[in-house]
Amino acid sequence: MATADLGRTLRRLRRLASLTQEELAERSGVSVDVIRQLEQRRKHSARLPTLHALANGLGVELTTLLGDPPAVAATGENDGPRFVAVRRAVMPALWSPDPEPPGPGFSLDRLREQIADGWTQYHSAEFDTVMKALPDLIMDARTATAAPDGAAGYGALAKALQLAGHVAVRMGKTDLALIALERAIAAAGDSGDPLLPAMVVNSVAWAYQRQGRLYDALHVALHAAETIRGGGHTCAADGLKVWGALTMSAATSAARSGDYDRAADLMAGAEKQAARVSKLPAGSDSRMVSVFSPSSVRIERVRLAVQYGHPEDALTLAKGMRLSKDTPPSWRTWLLLDVARAHADTGDAEGAVKTLESLRRAAPTWMQHHTLAVAVVRDLWSLPNHPPGLRSLAEFLGVTD
């Protein structure tokens, strides 16, 4: 994979981690000569396994090292009008008036349905559609908090702000995401729903992971999971889903921190409990609850196997996998991407391209927004022999230069 900013980003992240080049080499298993050449920009590319090793040594997500994909504008203060509107909704201007009670035509049920639709659009990578709707959703939810049944309004506000946080993370704006999520937690606390704060904490853990704050991500996920279990909420489907999603998030943070034994223990516990979900009474709208099922556990196991450096295990886990109907499109596309990564890591370029073509057919917009999809295609493009179909993928993602 080649990128003009790779060396500069590597040097910045290494210094933020207070590591010398020699210390990073020891942590990552990448030679100090390769690190030095990358940072001095005498070497402008590295294979994906090398980048994985460097990211693990730095304690950051691979996407942090790779930067934004071509479909995502670089992080900065200058946003387009649509994102400015989202910022204003998340962070109203100082001395803005308090919300007025909703009018006679307002329907909280309709608002919740609109927010649930927003989550469906998010999982389908319809980010422009979500951003267009978010300001009104957040403002309507703030209005609902002034209604006589304000607690339900706070619940809607929490889910709308959580959605804004997810979109901000996907756009590479994690600081805005954390502001939105912290405000979502405050609203969730006023909602009276004991599961809602923990659901938002799971999103916070994801934002921390994207910032390389793996210890913080692990800590908050485990704390929230224990709160759910200690409160007796895992006896119901919704509570078990929230606990399971938090446990899988903690496993991911542990794995990226190099604590693979702890990650394996957490995933084993999650897999055991996932089998209970279908046996419990159905909960609320699945679009508004954390994702957790036997399918999501298997998908996460595939992902961790790739990150452990065991692509053969990942392909074995993914072979013949049957996903449940409630598996969101984004999870299905993550699976395809991880399978493509595993094929690439085993040297099966043709298998990687075929999987990426399936990903493009299933979720073209999502693919353009995912840094790792771009990285895999760049890695394949650097090979001397290009499998059929690779040029079309490379042109689609803008990585043929």
Side-chain angles (χ1 to χ4, degrees), residues 182 195 198 205 208 237 340 388 394:
E182 287 172 3
L195 300 181
Y208 284 164

Side-chain angles (χ1 to χ4, degrees), residues 40-61:
Q40 293 174 356
R41 308 182 79 178
R42 290 187 287 120
K43 182 180 176 67
H44 298 284
S45 64
R47 297 298 305 277
L48 201 53
T50 300
L51 295 173
H52 274 297
L54 288 171
N56 288 335
L58 292 165
V60 301
E61 278 202 79

Side-chain angles (χ1 to χ4, degrees), residues 19 69 103 113 164 192 292 301 312 314 377 390 398:
L19 296 173
E113 182 65 23
F292 182 63
R301 285 186 63 196
E312 295 88 355
V377 172
L390 179 59

Side-chain angles (χ1 to χ4, degrees), residues 38-195:
L38 287 170
E39 291 193 0
Q40 293 174 356
R41 308 182 79 178
R42 290 187 287 120
K43 182 180 176 67
H44 298 284
S45 64
R47 297 298 305 277
L48 201 53
T50 300
L51 295 173
H52 274 297
L54 288 171
N56 288 335
L58 292 165
V60 301
E61 278 202 79
L62 180 59
T63 49
T64 304
L65 180 60
L66 296 180
D68 293 325
V72 179
T75 302
E77 294 303 317
N78 296 322
D79 298 320
R82 189 162 292 176
F83 216 98
V84 169
V86 174
R87 286 185 183 275
R88 293 186 66 194
V90 170
M91 300 178 288
L94 291 175
W95 305 299
S96 295
D98 292 334
E100 296 286 338
F106 175 79
S107 168
L108 182 60
D109 288 339
R110 184 169 63 248
L111 174 60
R112 286 182 58 83
E113 182 65 23
Q114 291 170 337
I115 295 171
D117 287 342
W119 279 101
T120 298
Q121 292 158 353
Y122 167 80
H123 283 297
S124 299
E126 298 174 21
F127 301 124
D128 286 343
T129 302
V130 178
M131 282 196 290
K132 182 178 180 180
L134 266 173
D136 286 341
L137 292 178
I138 294 172
M139 287 188 291
D140 288 347
R142 283 207 172 95
T143 296
T145 65
D149 183 15
Y154 278 110
L157 178 60
K159 291 302 295 184
L161 288 169
Q162 184 188 18
L163 179 57
H166 274 242
V167 171
V169 170
R170 188 56 65 195
M171 296 294 105
K173 303 176 189 298
T174 53
D175 287 337
L176 173 62
L178 287 172
I179 292 171
L181 294 172
E182 287 172 3
R183 297 185 181 200
I185 289 175
D190 291 330
S191 72
D193 182 345
L195 300 181

